[in-house]
Amino acid sequence: MIEKILKIEKKFGRVRDQKNSPRTLDIDILDYDGQIINIKDKNINLDIPHKEIQNRLFVLLPIRDLSVEWLHPKSKATIEDMIANFSQDQINKVKKIINDVRKNGDVSLIKYTKKFDKIKLTPSKIQLDSKSISKKI
């Protein structure tokens, strides 16, 4: 699976030349049936769950939307316990961004990508249909 994900990222222009650099596409595997997976070699560095997932409120809130019963595979912390580590102000700010993206779609996605990732997107760069995705795979 990871090879397929890396291939998709590369076909969408992802260049892996330095850690945490701006990127055109970043696919993360957040959970894989509750398994703990660590693969490290010259081409692949994969941790499932992501080692920083508990520190990423923008990931935790949507996970809670999908499953309030989700547990961190390693720590066994509940999704509510992890979210409780953030202040109400932080939660409100991230909820506002998530709701803005849900309401305004690409316009907000472009705005926040520029703000947080320093990448200037255009609608033509982010609008894909299943046909174009299938071609990349």
Side-chain angles (χ1 to χ4, degrees):
M1 174 174 45
I2 188 64
E3 288 87 2
K4 192 137 191 137
I5 289 172
L6 293 173
K7 183 179 173 185
I8 293 167
E9 287 181 344
K10 186 175 182 178
K11 286 191 176 190
F12 277 94
R14 170 90 187 252
V15 176
R16 293 176 175 272
D17 55 358
Q18 58 181 314
K19 189 174 179 165
N20 297 323
S21 64
R23 46 208 173 262
T24 56
L25 181 65
D26 184 28
I27 301 173
D28 289 327
I29 306 167
L30 301 176
D31 189 18
Y32 190 74
D33 200 25
Q35 295 181 45
I36 298 168
I37 300 171
N38 302 102
I39 300 171
K40 308 249 189 282
D41 69 28
K42 63 181 180 171
N43 298 317
I44 299 171
N45 184 5
L46 176 65
D47 290 304
I48 303 174
H50 190 285
K51 62 186 173 212
E52 292 294 320
I53 195 170
Q54 69 279 355
N55 299 321
R56 295 188 171 162
L57 189 56
F58 66 93
V59 173
L60 296 174
L61 291 174
I63 288 175
R64 182 178 65 184
D65 290 347
L66 295 170
S67 174
V68 294
E69 296 173 1
W70 187 81
L71 296 176
H72 189 289
K74 216 172 196 177
S75 70
K76 302 299 182 204
T78 67
I79 193 75
E80 291 299 335
D81 287 343
M82 288 183 280
I83 291 171
N85 289 319
F86 295 89
S87 72
Q88 192 59 52
D89 183 54
Q90 291 170 310
I91 293 168
N92 291 340
K93 284 179 182 176
V94 173
K95 280 183 175 180
K96 182 179 176 188
I97 292 169
I98 291 170
N99 290 333
D100 189 20
V101 171
R102 285 179 178 153
K103 180 180 176 190
N104 299 306
D106 293 347
V107 172
S108 293
L109 184 63
I110 290 167
K111 174 175 76 175
Y112 293 116
T113 302
K114 183 177 181 182
K115 180 177 180 175
F116 296 116
D117 296 324
K118 311 296 185 242
I119 296 173
K120 187 174 181 183
L121 289 178
T122 62
S124 64
K125 288 184 180 178
I126 60 173
Q127 291 188 0
L128 300 170
D129 57 33
S130 58
K131 233 183 204 179
S132 30
I133 292 171
S134 294
K135 285 180 193 175
K136 299 284 186 181
I137 297 173

